[in-house]
Amino acid sequence: MADLEEKKVVLTNTEVTKLKNELEDLRLNKRKEISAKIKEAREQGDLSENAEYDAAKEEQGHIEGRIKEIEETLKHAEIVDEREFDYSKINIGCITKVYDKEFDEEIEIAIVGGTETNSLENKISTDSPVGKALIGHGVGDEVEVETPNGIVCFKVLEVRKNENY
């Protein structure tokens, strides 16, 4: 969380809306649900051996932690308007297909803000080494990226707007 306090988090309007909706759900619904669970567990008696109470308190901690995390993210957000992007170049909110020279394969990558990063779904952040290196490049460009595992070479094959953004 210290990283969020030191730098801006780039988010699109879409990401901000998703985070605000999640925050509202956590505050209005999840807090009530967990309070009811805690109350019910308390009514069962001895709290020292009450697994339901312990589980509910742990869940409450997770909810409160997530609320704080979202609040900090929004507090430090630098909001970009994805409608203003030139999608002939790689930017947040686009999907790019690149050719990985080392592995001789094509990879489709979604460029996203930090809150949506998911390597299993090939969603990479604008703050990651690959994301930073690809930003601003267009079809035909060759890009070298220094990663923890060495230098990776990509050739940009396609850039398009991510319709889910």
Side-chain angles (χ1 to χ4, degrees):
M1 190 102 68
D3 287 327
L4 289 178
E5 294 169 5
E6 295 171 13
K7 66 175 186 166
K8 292 288 182 187
V9 179
V10 177
L11 300 174
T12 62
N13 289 318
T14 304
E15 287 178 298
V16 169
T17 300
K18 286 179 188 177
L19 286 173
K20 285 181 177 179
N21 289 341
E22 181 183 354
L23 184 59
E24 183 178 355
D25 180 54
L26 289 168
R27 285 179 175 160
L28 299 178
N29 301 319
K30 300 299 183 196
R31 274 182 171 163
K32 285 180 185 174
E33 289 172 16
I34 198 63
S35 290
K37 285 182 184 179
I38 291 171
K39 182 181 178 194
E40 186 178 313
R42 276 192 183 133
E43 290 171 356
Q44 294 176 9
D46 185 9
L47 297 181
S48 65
E49 296 181 16
N50 189 328
E52 287 179 33
Y53 177 79
D54 292 340
K57 289 299 281 184
E58 186 174 325
E59 186 179 348
Q60 182 183 41
H62 289 295
I63 290 169
E64 294 304 321
R66 181 63 180 149
I67 288 171
K68 184 169 175 51
E69 180 181 4
I70 293 171
E71 289 172 342
E72 284 295 311
T73 298
L74 292 173
K75 179 178 168 184
H76 298 284
E78 179 181 323
I79 302 169
V80 294
D81 188 347
E82 60 268 28
R83 294 172 297 182
E84 296 177 5
F85 293 148
D86 169 9
Y87 286 100
S88 67
K89 302 285 184 193
I90 298 170
N91 208 329
I92 189 172
C94 78
I95 294 177
T96 184
K97 188 181 289 184
V98 295
Y99 173 71
D100 182 331
K101 292 181 175 189
E102 180 182 352
F103 292 102
D104 189 30
E105 66 180 348
E106 291 182 6
I107 305 167
E108 194 167 86
I109 300 170
I111 307 295
V112 298
T115 64
E116 292 191 305
T117 301
N118 184 334
S119 60
L120 298 176
E121 296 176 6
N122 282 349
K123 292 181 178 181
I124 63 166
S125 167
T126 55
D127 293 329
S128 70
V130 173
K132 283 180 183 176
L134 290 174
I135 295 291
H137 288 280
V139 174
D141 290 352
E142 294 194 12
V143 182
E144 286 189 354
V145 182
E146 189 171 334
T147 70
N149 296 329
I151 298 201
V152 180
C153 298
F154 294 117
K155 181 171 185 174
V156 180
L157 303 176
E158 178 184 343
V159 180
R160 69 180 189 279
K161 183 179 190 304
N162 185 342
E163 297 304 325
N164 296 324
Y165 236 63

